[in-house]
Amino acid sequence: MFPLLKYTEAEVAARLAKVSPDAVRGSLTKKRHDWFDLLNLISEAAQPFIPQMRQLAQAARRCYYGKTVSVYAPLYIGNTCVNSCRYCDFRSQHTGTVRRNLTLDEIRAEADAIRKTGVDSVLVVAGEDPKVNTVARLAEVGRLLKSIFSYLALEVAPQTEDGYGELLAAGYEGLTCFQETYDQNLYREMHPAGPKADYDWRLNTQLRAGRAGFRILGCAFLLGLGPWRREAASLAAHAFYLMRECYEAKVQFAFPRICRVDGGFTSLCEVDEGDLEQMMLAFRIVFPQCCMTVSTREPPAFRDRIVQTAADNMSAGSRVTPGGYAVLADNRKQHLAQFKLSDGRTPDEVYAAIRANGQEVVFKNWDNRI
Ligand code: SF4
């Protein structure tokens, strides 16, 4: 469990099992919600209330985000990695993945290809390779990309608070760091070697970035490792903690489900689409102001539906390969990819789907103070 939570795993499980329909109704009628409401809304007892949860989540979403959907693209700058995450094709031991780190010229080519689609926000992604992806290199990449995009976020190895200060100065404002699992024992099993084996260092990543001044702090667990209700209870506790400690920043949720990888890893716990929807609705109701992303790991129909009720932003035309937008020929992309995507639509097809549902595509929703 999230270490600062004062309830044990067994106590959380017992509370979830005891939730009654009346407790769910109570959580659905409250104006302000707490961690116990989150438990009520993710419980099995809440399943018959999904239609009401959809309505309430949609109303909460409209209060903060109107009918808009922000779009972004991930930009993979390299896939070398010293870690051994059992579920990832970028892990150091996996020989089936071709390794590559892009040069600055290649990164510019990728960025130009993304920008041509209209996308104005990028998430810079790289494997954890401290010799290659130093703070200095990430800052250099940031300065280059900031001349092309309005908003930059990072999904790279956790850094020190000073490192985040340098990256903020280079133009990054957002950070994503998946805890993968809040269960310390399972975490050890899934991350047997490399710097990522340090649970606490990873857990405090958002705190260090928030203290350095990052504006968006992305949190998630990997759906399919631990039982999802227990992990969701920890994620919510983590979010409440960050909202207290880094009150000037905004928490962003993502709910990535394990995708098939070439290395053969399969989910340890099933999370079906109904579970995923229930969880996303519950988080939107309890955290109406927070950002929420829907992953490209999900099929188009689900993504198009959930951006109307819970999520407020989504990627468009994603490539999970270094060089996937412009640098590589099509037949080489798959051997460098982190996972297999479920939504293979072009950016224009994603925008058309958003507009067909009466929503507006937003490319830029923030400007720095001058
Ligand atoms: S999940 Fe991240 S840290 Fe782990 S092997 Fe993949 S790229 Fe490396």
Side-chain angles (χ1 to χ4, degrees), residues 81-87 91-93 190-194 196:
C81 188
V82 297
N83 283 316
S84 333
C85 313
R86 292 193 189 280
Y87 44 80
R91 68 185 182 280
S92 56
Q93 302 85 347
M190 290 295 114
H191 310 100
K196 194 165 169 179

Side-chain angles (χ1 to χ4, degrees), residues 149-262:
F149 298 102
S150 295
Y151 174 77
L152 304 183
L154 273 171
E155 188 177 345
V156 299
Q159 307 292 332
T160 62
E161 190 175 326
D162 285 347
Y164 283 125
E166 283 182 51
L167 295 169
L168 185 78
Y172 298 99
E173 298 173 73
L175 164 105
T176 289
C177 183
F178 298 170
Q179 187 59 27
E180 322 295 11
T181 172
Y182 287 92
D183 176 332
Q184 283 94 334
N185 293 328
L186 182 58
Y187 188 92
R188 261 194 299 279
E189 217 180 288
M190 290 295 114
H191 310 100
K196 194 165 169 179
D198 188 339
Y199 177 100
D200 290 336
W201 174 250
R202 191 165 186 88
L203 187 74
N204 289 316
T205 300
Q206 291 88 349
L207 188 64
R208 294 191 299 276
R211 286 180 175 159
F214 269 56
R215 188 169 65 79
I216 302 286
L217 305 176
C219 305
F221 62 92
L222 189 55
L223 281 64
L225 292 183
W228 72 266
R229 291 188 168 92
R230 190 179 72 193
E231 298 284 4
S234 284
L235 175 64
H238 192 183
F240 278 123
Y241 169 73
L242 288 172
M243 286 161 69
R244 274 196 312 275
E245 295 294 319
C246 307
Y247 54 86
E248 288 180 298
K250 208 169 187 181
V251 171
Q252 180 176 58
F253 297 110
F255 298 93
R257 281 201 290 178
I258 287 179
C259 276
R260 190 170 70 78
V261 293
D262 285 342

